[in-house]
Amino acid sequence: QRSSWRMYSILALRLGVISIGFTLSLLQYYSLKKFNGNEQLNKHRIRIQSTYTTNTAVKNAVVHIGPHKTGSTTIQEYSRILSEQLLVDGYDMPWSHKFPNGTRFHGGWDNQVEIATCFIKDPKQAARKAYPCRTDLLEAGKSIGHSFNHSILLSAETFDNLVEDEVASLYDYLHPTWDNVTIVAVYRRFYDWLASFHNQVSKDHMTTWLTQDLWYKFQQNSSDHLGRSLLDDFNGIIPLQGEVKGDIDKPFSLEEYILYAVPRYKKYFSNVEVINMHDKSVDLADRFFCDMIPHAPKTCHAFRQKVAKDGTTRQENKRSKDIVYKELAYAAHRRGIFHIKAKKHLNDTVTAMQHYQEKLLNLSVEDFPRKCLPQEILDEIWGISEQAEQEFGLISNQKPERNGRSGQDQDDPIAEMKADFEQKSRSDLCEVDFDEVLGTDTWRVFFEKHAPAPPIES
């Protein structure tokens, strides 16, 4: 009986140990499932992490700060595409760390704007209002460094909005969790950046809140433009004054431009790298994934393989034709030449205008007469452009002169840039002169003979 009792005791003890082990396994299983949201993908991530061979003694943080309109979308899209290779190289991102099953959240996968806005202290700042801070993503970022001992990759153009004390807050967030921090900015010539930025702002203005208020604006007939006037906006920011104010009526601040953003970061971070997007010798995204991210050979190799298969990552900036024709329709409506009666009437008119200009007249939106920025503003823009080129452009990489000639047997990059500026000061830095367009016989004929008739009011 004593031996039987001892046998049952041992059996019960073993069963208890098994039960405890099973309970602990269940707890671990559900905790991982709860944190990552997807059990199968969590197992997949663990398999990927098991192949991580980079030296984990050093954790790196790479923060891409833009600015806007400098190829950021391409970098962010590839950061999503290459997320598994980045993980093999030891890099994780808060959105993929918290949402491995691809759950989308406000702001999307790629642009980590909702982390960047956490460092903006003014709750009324435009970006902070549009994309509120997500503290759960901030916590996921910390978990990458503390719990998983991984490096981190952050990318958001909104980082270029941070003023000096906000950059200090970013520094406090990254240190001392990550040993080495690399800040990456992209240089685009100032005049080119201004024109592209304004085009994007005007496009957003026309396609977001304006869509809801379009008919109200037509009925009020109180503003000169549906979108933003390039001349009015540039008059408001030149000359450079003050810091980022975050005013929703202000299209952008010069403080966002790399010439002014980089010094704020250099005050706190010792390693601030700048990629020149005008350097055609290497792809911008290649420079980022292969040169700017330390110890990421798998990511670099995968990126180059994909580009070799899919082609170049370069994207041309194109002026939206739809905006021009909508503005022309509004200008005619405002001047009493033509009356827009309904949304369909507007759409039909825009379609007819485009057909008339591009098919019947065999012209494009670039052939409309333009009014350009006054010379004093162009001089200001050129001065900032030249200063930025000296700091970050091709000329900054030239070798010292030998025997009165540059170390590179190339044309003077400033002279080349000046010629490009002169050309764009008559095109990209101009806007359509609607008064002149509507004063021509060509467009009087359109509104008399070709414009769609308004709908019959019931």
Side-chain angles (χ1 to χ4, degrees):
Q1 289 179 350
R2 185 176 296 175
S3 61
S4 297
W5 177 84
R6 184 177 298 169
M7 182 179 69
Y8 286 127
S9 298
I10 293 172
L11 180 62
L13 181 62
R14 287 179 177 176
L15 287 173
V17 169
I18 292 171
S19 177
I20 291 170
F22 181 71
T23 302
L24 289 173
S25 297
L26 281 177
L27 288 172
Q28 184 180 26
Y29 168 84
Y30 282 110
S31 65
L32 285 171
K33 186 174 182 180
K34 181 180 179 181
F35 182 77
N36 283 315
N38 188 296
E39 169 226 346
Q40 291 300 116
L41 282 162
N42 182 64
K43 289 180 179 178
H44 182 55
R45 287 173 63 83
I46 291 172
R47 284 199 302 273
I48 292 173
Q49 290 167 4
S50 68
T51 67
Y52 170 39
T53 58
T54 304
N55 179 15
T56 55
V58 177
K59 292 182 293 183
N60 296 289
V62 177
V63 184
H64 168 235
I65 66 170
H68 291 80
K69 307 309 298 177
T70 58
S72 300
T73 299
T74 298
I75 288 173
Q76 290 158 2
E77 286 177 350
Y78 273 99
S79 72
R80 172 178 53 81
I81 294 169
L82 302 171
S83 60
E84 288 192 3
Q85 288 81 8
L86 282 163
L87 196 58
V88 170
D89 285 326
Y91 286 86
D92 208 346
M93 293 164 283
W95 59 263
S96 62
H97 187 76
K98 186 170 177 61
F99 302 102
N101 61 342
T103 303
R104 295 185 67 87
F105 52 89
H106 189 56
W109 262 43
D110 316 327
N111 185 340
Q112 299 176 63
V113 60
E114 289 162 316
I115 287 181
T117 55
C118 292
F119 301 97
I120 297 175
K121 296 179 180 179
D122 181 3
K124 296 182 180 179
Q125 201 266 5
R128 179 73 185 256
K129 286 173 65 178
Y131 304 100
C133 163
R134 285 196 49 161
T135 55
D136 58 335
L137 293 179
L138 273 181
E139 292 166 1
K142 278 293 188 183
S143 176
I144 289 170
H146 286 305
S147 303
F148 288 82
N149 202 38
H150 277 186
S151 297
I152 189 170
L153 172 62
L154 300 174
S155 175
E157 304 96 306
T158 303
F159 281 119
D160 70 7
N161 282 204
L162 304 191
V163 295
E164 191 170 301
D165 62 329
E166 294 165 348
V167 175
S169 297
L170 176 63
Y171 177 90
D172 292 338
Y173 174 78
L174 296 171
H175 288 275
T177 304
W178 289 277
D179 307 292
N180 295 325
V181 178
T182 302
I183 305 296
V184 182
V186 179
Y187 165 66
R188 184 173 188 172
R189 289 170 176 169
F190 181 62
Y191 61 86
D192 216 22
W193 177 79
L194 274 180
S196 179
F197 204 149
H198 182 273
N199 188 42
Q200 185 65 52
V201 168
S202 188
K203 189 186 301 183
D204 292 346
H205 193 82
M206 292 281 285
T207 57
T208 53
W209 68 267
L210 184 58
T211 303
Q212 301 170 359
D213 296 339
L214 185 63
W215 302 120
Y216 174 79
K217 201 156 190 176
F218 265 94
Q219 292 163 3
Q220 292 298 306
N221 198 23
S222 58
S223 61
D224 290 332
H225 298 270
L226 283 176
R228 304 201 70 109
S229 164
L230 179 143
L231 272 65
D232 291 346
D233 284 346
F234 281 16
N235 275 319
I237 65 170
I238 302 290
L240 173 64
Q241 292 178 349
E243 296 180 341
V244 179
K245 299 300 182 186
D247 185 350
I248 195 67
D249 293 326
K250 189 177 183 181
F252 47 82
S253 165
L254 294 190
E255 292 290 327
E256 299 175 38
Y257 184 57
I258 186 173
L259 187 63
Y260 310 103
V262 162
R264 297 197 298 274
Y265 278 86
K266 282 187 173 181
K267 186 168 183 178
Y268 294 94
F269 297 96
S270 59
N271 187 23
V272 179
E273 299 286 346
V274 175
I275 302 173
N276 182 358
M277 71 180 296
H278 300 283
D279 182 0
K280 305 302 182 184
S281 66
V282 64
D283 185 274
L284 186 155
D286 188 285
R287 282 291 316 277
F288 182 80
F289 288 105
C290 296
D291 296 338
M292 297 294 129
I293 304 179
H295 311 298
K298 298 287 194 304
T299 302
C300 176
H301 179 70
F303 169 79
R304 287 175 173 169
Q305 277 193 322
K306 183 156 184 64
V307 171
K309 179 182 177 182
D310 299 342
T312 181
T313 65
R314 294 189 184 276
Q315 298 179 355
E316 297 296 327
N317 180 52
K318 296 181 180 179
R319 187 190 300 268
S320 174
K321 294 191 292 186
D322 185 62
I323 291 175
V324 175
Y325 291 113
K326 281 183 178 178
E327 288 283 12
L328 181 57
Y330 178 70
H333 173 83
R334 178 162 170 72
R335 290 157 180 77
I337 298 172
F338 189 69
H339 294 287
I340 304 294
K341 299 291 186 180
K343 183 176 182 179
K344 186 177 186 307
H345 192 207
L346 171 63
N347 294 337
D348 290 345
T349 301
V350 168
T351 301
M353 282 178 167
Q354 184 170 350
H355 178 79
Y356 183 70
Q357 175 78 352
E358 299 176 14
K359 302 299 182 182
L360 298 182
L361 301 180
N362 197 28
L363 299 171
S364 72
V365 292
E366 304 301 330
D367 293 306
F368 283 127
R370 297 181 177 280
K371 51 185 178 182
C372 301
L373 294 171
Q375 190 59 47
E376 59 269 22
I377 293 182
L378 290 174
D379 290 342
E380 291 260 13
I381 292 173
W382 171 250
I384 296 172
S385 300
E386 187 174 21
Q387 182 184 352
E389 183 71 13
Q390 296 278 359
E391 183 74 22
F392 305 116
L394 296 174
I395 193 171
S396 66
N397 297 321
Q398 284 194 332
K399 299 174 184 177
E401 292 186 355
R402 297 196 307 263
N403 300 323
R405 296 189 63 186
S406 169
Q408 294 179 346
D409 294 327
Q410 296 179 345
D411 295 334
D412 179 6
I414 291 293
E416 181 185 340
M417 186 178 81
K418 181 68 170 178
D420 185 54
F421 171 73
E422 294 292 347
Q423 186 273 322
K424 288 181 177 174
S425 69
R426 297 187 295 271
S427 56
D428 292 6
L429 294 173
C430 304
E431 64 186 17
V432 175
D433 188 337
F434 296 111
D435 284 323
E436 186 173 344
V437 173
L438 296 173
T440 63
D441 292 338
T442 301
W443 281 92
R444 276 199 293 270
V445 168
F446 169 82
F447 287 111
E448 289 173 4
K449 298 183 178 181
H450 298 279
I456 300 173
E457 297 182 0
S458 58

